Amino acid sequence: MVPFRQAWRALARRPAFTAATILTLAGGIGITTALFSIVDGVLLRPLPFPDGNQLVSVYEASPARRDRTSLIAPVRLEDWNRLTHVFDGFSGSYSENVTDTSGAEPERLEGRRVTPRFFDVYGMTPLVGRTFTDDEQRYGGATAAIISEGFWTRRFARSPSAVGARLIVGGRGYTIVGVIPRAFTSTATDVWIPAQLAPGLMTVRDARFLGGVARMKPGVTLEEARTDLTHVQALLGAQYPKTDKDWTVDVRDLKDVRVGDSRRAILLIFGSVALLFVIAIANLAGLMLVQLQRRIVEFAIRSAIGASRARVLTVVMRETLVIAVVGALGGAALAAWLIGLAPAVFPMLPRLAEVRVDTRALAFIVCASVAAAALFGLLPAVVVMRRNTAPLLSAGSRGVAGTSHHLQRVLVTAQIALSVMLAASAGLLVRSYGALSRVDAGFTPAGALTFHVGAAWDEDRARVAQIQERLVEGLSSLPGVRAAGFANFLPATGATLRYQAKVDGLTGSDANGSFTAGQRTVTAGYLPALGVPLLAGEWCAPLRSGAIMPKTVMVNRQFVDAFAGGASIVGRNLTMTPTSATWRITGIVGNVIEDGPAAPAAPYVYMCLPSGAWPDPEYVVRADADPRQMMTAIRQLVREIDPTRPVFGFKTVEEVVAGSLQQPALNARLLACFAGAALLLAALGLHGTLTLFVTERRRELGVRMALGAGPGDLVRLVVSGAGALVVAGMAVGVVLVLVAGNVLRAVLFGVTPHDVPAIAGSVLALGLVSLVAVLLPARQAASVSAVEAMRGE
């Protein structure tokens, strides 16, 4: 231990170098390990289910748009279970916000209704209790519920007595029969309840509302499963031509589905971190090489007084090992801290609960970092041991400085090039986010507030209808409220429903003469509350208690342009799946970003919704003042109508629209942070190189001063050396940007991968950072004294 204490004391005499090296090493190890652990946990590691690689998500696909998948009708899911040969089972589910009134106060829960075999398909075993029985899953059977581990902990403090307790949902009691582990679901589900679908619904082949999951038999590939299910659906198309003809299926790996659009963001982040790690290693090498000039005489003296080559190398190796151990420990601690911070930084990423520090990645990165530190730490000693020490002692190591300086210049040029590439990529994403945020939403988000009122799908619809009518009437009567209504889904929330529609007098491009259009169900005040303009015709009829609502719809401008050539179709009849009912078109409204800001305007049908038809809608209120001031009045109104109903999910519509930009905004922020770190590391590397330049040429600078050169001449000498490195690095960096631009194409909107302002901005940023890095070495050069420089040599 004594030799290592000596090594630590030796490092303590060089505090700036020691701190910079350890921080660089720890930062590179910690950040890279944390990000790779997230990539591994989210993208690479199998799902936490028995034989998770056999699980797939299944969908229907319409004849019009095979690239657009659809939810599944329950009857069709049962047909697939009956006819397939390569699956062990299919099941389905749909989400539903439910209200539990078994406690002192009503509590809103994230619920999920499931069809038979749901937990069997996943192969999940409850932590406590059991899964559903056949009786609990049939229509009219016993009521039961399974709760999540999180809800079990929050409500029951993990007590086994939770099994057997009762929840009251929609006025019905549900007995808790089991607790499911936290890692089971990718969403924050609190409770699972059997769907208990009515026999009549099991005959409606157009009622597509289930998300499907299936388990393939052992040894079956994804392609074999897709082929078999496609064949089964073709048989159903022949048997039920009216509803199933030309419809096909899609089978996707469940892990890929859960990762979703996050895959691009994670790979983008990991690629950025990998580049940052390369820059950090280059900077670590540069820090080690800066010590070359300062320690050559020390090593020469050790060698001259009799120290063997092995002893000199051992001294250096001990110091390097101390730096490596401290840096590795700091990196491991940083990685653990960053992973703990990940849910707050990446709230939209799936499977974060499964992420742990990847020990394999940590071991590899530590070994790579230590190897780099050892390589460049031993280089000074190796150089000295291979040379005659006398010239080094007399000439101050001028004979070896050139080698280190050349390698240092290469490393700094590489750092600058990678920094330019990261900075340009960040600039592209920032400009892309700016373009997205400027997209015309088609409505006025400012001044509108949205919220939910708890209701369940299996409640008495007459009671729900009465509550909705009284609530809309009460909201419209509140002071300062200009309009109020509700719809099944808000714009830009990812809820994309596509159905086939037919319009009298028009022939669509689909095989049966229909059109494929998006669908929303709305009430009279919903679109005015959003601020959507009415272009022709009239709005939906207001809700009236006990009155029969006329079957009317509105269509958007894109529907008219795409299917009617811009001609007015107000007054024509329209039919739309899943029902064959006839609806009259009464109005044309403006285009709304229903599918998100990045999606082009699509044809949409807005069906006028009778009260009670959609129990858990999105309420929207438009007020003259700040809409958030309405929350207290809204809660009081709901309490007066039904005190058992929870009010939740208050958001301004501006926040809803901003949420649709969350992923691109996060991409831009993260890459900007990495680019900033890269620029800082590049500046440190450039600063180290110029410091080395001034130190190694101190005698030359003194001679120049003695011959009449002024401080400005010496500053220009240093700046010209820096300029050559910066220009070379920028040139290489711009080439890298042009080559790698297509990698970012998939995540860009309104910006090309070779956007000139983004590339120019990265070059300018690097130039400014480089200028700051040059200042101290330039001032050091300008302050050289000719007498002291000659005497020091």
Side-chain angles (χ1 to χ4, degrees):
M1 296 299 296
V2 173
F4 285 100
R5 283 199 297 268
Q6 293 174 345
W8 179 252
R9 286 197 296 268
L11 290 171
R13 289 193 293 269
R14 306 194 303 276
F17 161 75
T18 302
T21 306
I22 290 176
L23 290 176
T24 299
L25 190 60
I29 291 172
I31 295 174
T32 309
T33 301
L35 269 296
F36 182 83
S37 297
I38 292 175
V39 172
D40 179 59
V42 175
L43 291 184
L44 306 179
R45 192 173 299 166
L47 293 172
F49 310 124
D51 300 315
N53 59 335
Q54 296 173 15
L55 292 172
V56 293
S57 285
V58 289
Y59 307 87
E60 296 189 50
S62 72
R65 293 293 303 272
R66 299 297 176 90
D67 60 327
R68 290 189 182 273
T69 56
S70 167
L71 299 176
I72 306 168
V75 60
R76 193 165 293 104
L77 203 63
E78 292 304 311
D79 287 339
W80 292 353
N81 261 304
R82 177 171 49 87
L83 297 173
T84 187
H85 302 291
V86 300
F87 290 91
D88 279 334
F90 292 81
S91 188
S93 64
Y94 61 91
S95 62
E96 178 182 56
N97 296 319
V98 299
T99 303
D100 171 41
T101 56
S102 62
E105 295 288 339
E107 182 180 0
R108 178 253 189 179
L109 301 176
E110 293 280 356
R112 198 151 195 89
R113 300 276 182 169
V114 301
T115 66
R117 299 173 299 275
F118 184 76
F119 293 104
D120 294 335
V121 167
Y122 280 101
M124 287 303 298
T125 302
L127 290 172
V128 180
R130 60 172 174 82
T131 56
F132 300 125
T133 64
D134 291 341
D135 177 63
E136 291 163 347
Q137 297 183 95
R138 67 174 178 83
Y139 179 69
T143 56
I146 292 175
I147 61 175
S148 69
E149 183 181 358
F151 182 56
W152 181 43
T153 302
R154 184 174 75 245
R155 171 73 72 86
F156 300 98
R158 303 183 71 86
S159 171
S161 63
V163 175
R166 300 274 284 180
L167 300 177
I168 307 298
V169 175
R172 301 179 65 188
Y174 290 83
T175 302
I176 298 173
V177 299
V179 179
I180 285 295
R182 192 185 311 274
F184 169 68
T185 180
S186 60
T187 57
T189 303
D190 295 310
V191 59
W192 292 265
I193 300 174
Q196 294 189 350
L197 300 174
L201 185 59
M202 295 301 295
T203 64
V204 182
R205 305 190 67 82
D206 283 332
R208 298 178 172 90
F209 60 90
L210 291 176
V213 65
R215 178 174 288 275
M216 301 184 296
K217 291 182 181 293
V220 174
T221 66
L222 191 65
E223 190 56 41
E224 290 171 342
R226 188 176 291 118
T227 300
D228 179 79
L229 195 58
T230 300
H231 174 69
V232 167
Q233 183 55 38
L235 295 177
L236 293 174
Q239 186 175 357
Y240 304 100
K242 185 176 180 180
T243 57
D244 288 41
K245 184 180 179 181
D246 296 327
W247 278 75
T248 184
V249 299
D250 191 10
V251 181
R252 302 179 186 176
D253 184 270
L254 182 61
K255 184 177 69 175
D256 292 342
V257 172
R258 284 202 169 186
V259 172
D261 293 337
S262 299
R263 174 184 294 274
R264 289 175 178 171
I266 294 171
L267 292 177
L268 179 66
I269 292 168
F270 184 68
S272 303
V273 171
L275 290 177
L276 195 61
F277 180 64
V278 171
I279 295 173
I281 289 294
N283 204 45
L284 178 66
L287 289 170
M288 291 293 188
L289 287 174
V290 165
Q291 293 300 295
L292 172 61
Q293 175 67 21
R294 300 175 180 175
R295 303 198 68 187
I296 283 177
V297 174
E298 174 195 338
F299 295 149
I301 292 173
R302 286 177 180 269
S303 180
I305 63 177
S308 65
R309 176 179 300 181
R311 184 171 179 82
V312 173
L313 294 178
T314 300
V315 169
V316 178
M317 196 61 196
R318 285 179 188 146
E319 295 180 10
T320 303
L321 187 59
V322 169
I323 290 175
V325 169
V326 176
L329 291 175
L334 178 61
W337 180 76
L338 289 174
I339 288 176
L341 196 65
V345 179
F346 310 116
M348 74 293 295
L349 288 185
R351 305 186 66 192
L352 280 181
E354 306 168 34
V355 174
R356 300 290 183 272
V357 174
D358 191 296
T359 53
R360 298 165 301 169
L362 179 61
F364 172 78
I365 294 166
V366 166
C367 289
S369 302
V370 171
L375 173 63
F376 292 102
L378 289 173
L379 183 61
V382 172
V383 170
V384 171
M385 292 296 99
R386 296 180 59 186
R387 302 248 179 176
N388 183 6
T389 60
L392 296 177
L393 291 172
S394 62
S397 71
R398 287 168 302 183
V400 297
T403 301
S404 65
H405 187 53
H406 177 72
L407 182 55
Q408 178 79 345
R409 290 168 65 91
V410 172
L411 292 172
V412 171
T413 301
Q415 286 179 287
I416 292 173
L418 294 176
S419 299
V420 168
M421 185 169 70
L422 274 177
S425 299
L428 288 170
L429 291 181
V430 169
R431 286 177 54 77
S432 175
Y433 171 72
L436 278 170
S437 63
R438 291 190 297 270
V439 169
D440 182 12
F443 57 94
T444 308
L449 181 74
T450 179
F451 62 94
H452 280 267
V453 175
W457 281 79
D458 58 353
E459 283 190 64
D460 176 34
R461 293 299 177 89
R463 172 62 178 159
V464 172
Q466 184 183 34
I467 291 172
Q468 290 179 345
E469 289 167 5
R470 291 182 59 190
L471 182 55
V472 171
E473 182 181 358
L475 290 171
S476 302
S477 301
L478 290 175
V481 171
R482 296 165 55 187
F486 57 82
N488 55 348
F489 298 109
L490 291 173
T493 55
T496 303
L497 302 179
R498 290 287 189 275
Y499 296 105
Q500 290 181 301
K502 290 184 178 181
V503 178
D504 288 354
L506 300 179
T507 301
S509 58
D510 296 354
N512 58 358
S514 62
F515 309 98
T516 297
Q519 182 260 5
R520 291 284 188 267
T521 51
V522 303
T523 62
Y526 168 74
L527 292 174
L530 277 182
V532 177
L534 179 67
L535 305 180
E538 58 187 26
W539 299 111
C540 296
L543 296 176
R544 298 187 186 92
S545 179
I548 299 177
M549 288 285 294
K551 292 184 178 297
T552 59
V553 301
M554 296 173 289
V555 296
N556 68 346
R557 176 82 251 176
Q558 184 62 25
F559 188 101
V560 175
D561 292 342
F563 303 145
S568 176
I569 53 176
V570 173
R572 299 195 191 189
N573 290 330
L574 174 147
T575 59
M576 194 169 197
T577 57
T579 68
S580 56
T582 299
W583 303 68
R584 186 170 60 88
I585 300 174
T586 61
I588 301 171
V589 299
N591 295 329
V592 174
I593 54 167
E594 296 287 0
D595 299 334
Y604 259 84
V605 174
Y606 296 90
M607 311 185 82
C608 299
L609 182 72
S611 57
W614 195 277
D616 183 31
E618 306 269 4
Y619 290 88
V620 178
V621 175
R622 174 165 293 278
D624 291 325
D626 183 352
R628 284 169 292 197
Q629 297 177 0
M630 306 293 299
M631 291 191 291
T632 301
I634 292 171
R635 287 194 177 96
Q636 180 61 34
L637 177 62
V638 174
R639 193 176 298 115
E640 293 172 359
I641 295 172
D642 188 343
T644 67
R645 302 281 169 177
V647 184
F648 58 93
F650 279 107
K651 287 183 179 180
T652 65
V653 175
E654 288 177 301
E655 290 172 336
V656 173
V657 174
S660 68
L661 300 175
Q662 187 178 34
Q663 187 64 61
L666 178 66
N667 291 347
R669 285 198 303 268
L670 284 173
L671 205 56
C673 289
F674 292 135
L679 291 174
L680 176 61
L681 289 174
L684 290 175
L686 182 61
H687 177 271
T689 296
L690 296 178
T691 300
L692 176 64
F693 172 85
V694 173
T695 302
E696 73 177 21
R697 300 179 68 177
R698 189 175 183 83
R699 178 187 177 92
E700 175 192 336
L701 296 175
V703 171
R704 288 177 180 268
M705 289 285 287
L707 294 177
D713 297 320
L714 301 187
V715 169
R716 281 191 293 274
L717 180 64
V718 173
V719 171
S720 64
L725 291 179
V726 171
V727 170
M730 286 179 174
V732 175
V734 170
V735 172
L736 291 177
V737 172
L738 297 177
V739 171
N742 289 333
V743 176
L744 290 174
R745 189 182 296 274
V747 295
L748 296 179
F749 175 84
V751 179
T752 67
H754 303 148
D755 183 68
V756 173
I759 297 175
S762 68
V763 170
L764 178 61
L766 196 282
L768 293 175
V769 170
S770 299
L771 181 61
V772 174
V774 167
L775 291 179
L776 188 59
R779 290 182 60 187
Q780 182 182 354
S783 63
V784 169
S785 167
V787 175
E788 291 180 2
M790 299 295 291
R791 184 181 300 161
E793 292 295 324

